[in-house]
Structures are given as C-alpha cells and as structure tokens.
Amino acid sequence: MREDKITDKYQEYISKKVLFLLVSVVFLIICLLISISIGSSSITIHDVLYAFLRKGEEWKVQIIWQIRIPRVLSAILAGLGLSIAGVAMQSILRNPLGSPYTLGVSQAAAFGAASAVIVLGAGSTQSSSADSVILNNPYLITISAFFWALVSTAGILSLSKLRNATPETLVLAGIAIGSLFTAGMTSLQYFASDIELAAVIFWTFGDLGKSTWRDFGIMVVVLIPILIYFIWNSWNYNALDSGDETAKSLGVDVEKTRMHGMLLSSLAAAVIVSFFGIIGFVGLVVPHIVRKVIGGDERYLIPASAIFGAAFLLASDTVARTIIAPIILPVGILTSFLGAPLFIYLLVKGRSYW
Amino acid sequence: MILEIKDLNFSYDGHEKVLEDVSISLERGNILAIIGPNGSGKTTLLKCIGNILIPQKGSIDLDGESLDSYERQDIARKIGYVPQVESRGFPSTVYDTILMGRKPYISWEPSEKDLKIVSQIIRKLGLESISMKEINELSGGQRQKVFVGRALAQQPNLLLLDEPTSDLDLKHKLEVLNIIRHQVDQGISAILAIHDLNMALRYSDRIVMLKEGSVYDSGGLDVVTQENIESVYGVKVYITEHESWLTVTPDKPVDGMTID
C-alpha cells in the first residue's frame, strides 16, 4: 500500500509536467492567433480563422498567407530551435550558462553567413532595387554558417575537457569566441560593397522580417528531425546530468551522445542564424524558465522548452513589431533586453541557484 | 565465479601505470573490500570493472564471459556503480534519481514495473518522506542512500561502490553498509573501495590489498595483519579481537613525520 502511495505521488508530479506542456501548447496557439491578427493592416482574429480556410476578403487572405503566416511560423521554428539548442548545450556541458549565443556559436554562424555573401559570393546584386542583395543561395549561406559554428563548437568542446574548466570559464571563452567572430564580421564589412554591407549588417541583430515560405521549408527539414532526436535521446541527457561516470555505468555512450548533441544543436543554431541573424538569449532564458516550473527531467524539459520557446519568441516578435509602430524593431533587440538581466542574475546567483 | 580479473593493466593516456597485473576473482554472495592507501589504484580498478575505463591489457570476465562481449546496455543491467562524488549539473528529485537506475531497461516510457521497483527501493531505504525532494537538499547520508538506491534499481549482479561511507556519520555508515550486506545476502556480489579498515573488516568477506597499483595480498579477513598494513600503509597498528570482530587501532606512522 505504501509503495503504491509513493508511485501515486510520483505520477501526480508527472501529471503537473504534462499539464505545463498542455498549457504551453494553448499559450502558443493564442499567441499565434493574436500575432497573425496584429499588424499595420487591421485584421481580426475572426478574419484569421476565416483565412485559414482561404475564405474572406482577398487582400486579407493575401496578407495573412504571404506576410503574416510565414513570419509567425518562422518565429515559432526559430524559438523552438534556439531553445532546444540551449537545453542540449546546458545538459551536455552541464553548464547552466550554456546557449548558442553565450558560447559564441551564433556569432560564428553569423560570420559564416556573412562571409558566404562577401567572400564566396552567395548573394547576387542584380536586384531590382539598388539597395538590396538577393540572397539567392540559402544553402551555401547555411552551410558556411554551420561550418563556422562547428569551428567554435569544437573550441568550446575541447575547452570543456580541461579539468579546471568551470561553467564560468566556458562562458568567458564563449564571449572571447563571440568577440573574435564579431570582429571578423566587422572586418568583412570593410571589404563589402555598400550593397553587400546592407545585406550583411542584418546578421548582427536578429530579425524575422525576411521570412519566406522557402526559408520555412528548409528550417522544418532541419529543425524537426533535430527536435525528435533530442526528445528520443532525453534519457541519455538525463543520465548525462548525473555526471559522465554515472552515465557510462548506466550504459550511455557518453562521447557519442555529447558529440552528436553538440553537432545537432550547433546545426540548429546555424540554420536559424543564417536566415534571421543573431537572436540572443532565447536559448539561455527559455530552458531556465521551464526548468524553474517543471524541474530538470529532460523527458519533459526538452519538449516543453521547444513549445514554450516557440511561444516566447513569437510573443517577443509580436511585441517588437507593434510596440513603437509603425517602426518595426528587430526581435533580437527585445530578446536581449529580456535576456541580459537574467543572464546577469544567473552569474551573480551562481551555483547556489541550483 | 561472478567476476574473474586477470593481469589487468591500466594507465591514463601515456602516463605511468596506475594498475599493474591485477588479478582478482569474486564469488557470488560475497563482499570484496579493496583497501590501500591514496593513489594505490582502488578507484581506477572499480572503474575498469564498471566499463567506465577501458584497460590496456588483461581480461575481465563477468558471469563467465568477457566484458568486451557485452553490449553497454547489458553491462548496465549487470553492474551497478556508485561513484565517490557525483557532480550534478541540474537538480533532480530522489524519485527521478532512483528511476534513472531503470534506464538500461526503459526504452522511452517507464513501465508499471519500473515504477514499482523504484517505489519498493524507496520504501526499503526509508526515503518515503523525501521521495519528491531535490537531492541537493539532502544530507550526505541520505544522498548516498539515494545513489545506492539508483544502483539497486539496475538490479545488478554486481555492485561497485567507491568509498560509499567516506563522508558519512557513524550511523549512516552502518545503515548504508547494512543495505549492501542485505542485498548481497540475496545472492548478488559487491566490491567496495574503502578507506575505513574497521568497516572493511566488519562487512566484507574478502579483502584485496592494493599497493602502488598491484595486488599486495588478497584473501579472507586474515589478510589484514600488522605486517601487511605496516608495509602497505606505512603505519604501525594493533589488531585486537572483540567478540570475533577484528579492530585495527593505528599507533603511529613507521617512518613519517614525528612532532616532539
């Protein structure tokens, strides 16, 4: 009888986590409907629901399907991808300060994307208006972003193997790597033509304004399998949280799990950066908020961070594009305003937070 | 014979040997205590047996088959390991921590049976009232019980424990070792790396004495003699018997620092 009680208590605890997952989904759907309806043209939620069925006034359907929905879906995917990259990096490096942005992976990816345009010529300048470069080769840009993201990831991983590498050391190294690539990007801009410069500058602060259906397709193909991989391996990441030795004794291939995890989280970050530029702090903040509410069990932490992260970035983007309308703020600015204070809080609180 | 180790050699990449030609065998239902001074290779030996470190030379047979021939998952079902210190990144509840021991059996969702086993262990270890607490809020003794519980949840044939009692008060020491003794009496085996010679004498059936990475002596409790301890630890001791329990009382280092 008493054993049943212990099990019941645990199942009650688990059902709270499931409830949080459901609430996050509902929150995401509400954000989605509101976000599609808010903007410079007045559209009601009613119109939005109609437009899903391709009904209603033609111009509204056009705006909803061609402008609003790609942007909203991109925000969802970017938020999801950055959050799972953050969860994975925090677990793999056993470091509460880990995320693509704080470890310099995002900056490296942005440098890779910019160098693809300026050095490898991935953008064409034969555009109709003289002030923009058509980025006609998203694959080359993404691959270059991924390559440089891997370079910084390799740096972080080899540093993390050092015996005296504390979480703080790693983040300091990440800041150094980030600065290095930011400097690289700035120097690239000296060699860029004015037109290229305009294209390149966009990678320095994240903006979801360039979302198209093609970008969305590429992101789905890359990010959804990565999400499934992490959810599928959540027991391995749980084991990793208990330390390498314990994880090994539980049958986890620690080196493989760590390598694959870093590789995939860097890929997720690189793809998002190559389409939207650096959106800082999402990968750091979201896992912490979710962990505070439902605890550290990766089986729930990973999917909940994905959903909550999607809603978080979508809400941020909606605020960013309406707060000082008609000016549209890049969402990266807003997430940095939200994320930087939390980052400082974590640094000050340090280990006692855990 | 549950475990048969022959001529084991290990060194951390390129450095000098930590273990040299170590041979040990262990029968079912026995507790083996590995004793020896700091740096004698106790922890390394346990990690080699637990497949956490891969020895450069020698063989380890578990249940009559070479450890190499098992899948990771199978080893995790046969050997439970409790490390000396566990450096956690993020908090985890007592229940979740012990449930982790079921990982070698779980594909994704823990079954009724997994939950039942975990709840049984929690009850057996007397952790009911704290089953939903975070483990970093617990005392050292409670936490050690949780880690032993996780290893028990693996339902292993062989338990490896690295200094299971080093940070515990006297009562918790006895409690943890009693739990291990009780499990071993149900037909599994255990190997302890242990500093406390009196606890080793009190709870183990077999003793291996390591000195500088080699087996200095091994056998029953009679291995613990004044001469052996003097030679391995460099300490002069008295061994007394009280109601059939042997007790080691240290006197002084043989050629160590003396303060007059």
Side-chain angles (χ1 to χ4, degrees), chain A residues 18 69 77 86 97 119 141 157 160 174 194 232 245 257 288 295 306 317 323 347 350:
Chain A
V18 175
I69 292 182
L77 274 178
L97 304 175
V119 181
I141 292 172
L157 267 182
S160 72
D194 286 353
W232 185 250
E245 287 162 13
T257 307
H288 283 290
D317 185 50
I323 190 165
L347 274 176

Side-chain angles (χ1 to χ4, degrees), chain B residues 84-143:
Chain B
Q84 188 173 0
V85 278
E86 184 162 312
S87 55
R88 280 206 66 82
F90 297 104
S92 171
T93 64
V94 169
Y95 199 104
D96 280 319
T97 306
I98 297 177
L99 182 63
M100 182 61 63
R102 298 302 298 165
K103 189 193 171 294
Y105 301 88
I106 296 171
S107 55
W108 206 78
E109 189 69 27
S111 67
E112 292 266 318
K113 187 185 160 207
D114 294 318
L115 297 180
K116 193 163 178 235
I117 288 168
V118 173
S119 297
Q120 275 169 352
I121 289 171
I122 286 176
R123 194 177 56 82
K124 203 154 58 181
L125 301 185
L127 302 169
E128 300 99 322
S129 59
I130 53 168
S131 67
M132 285 301 136
K133 268 201 165 173
E134 305 285 351
I135 51 170
N136 44 5
E137 294 170 16
L138 307 183
S139 73
Q142 289 173 322
R143 204 175 312 147

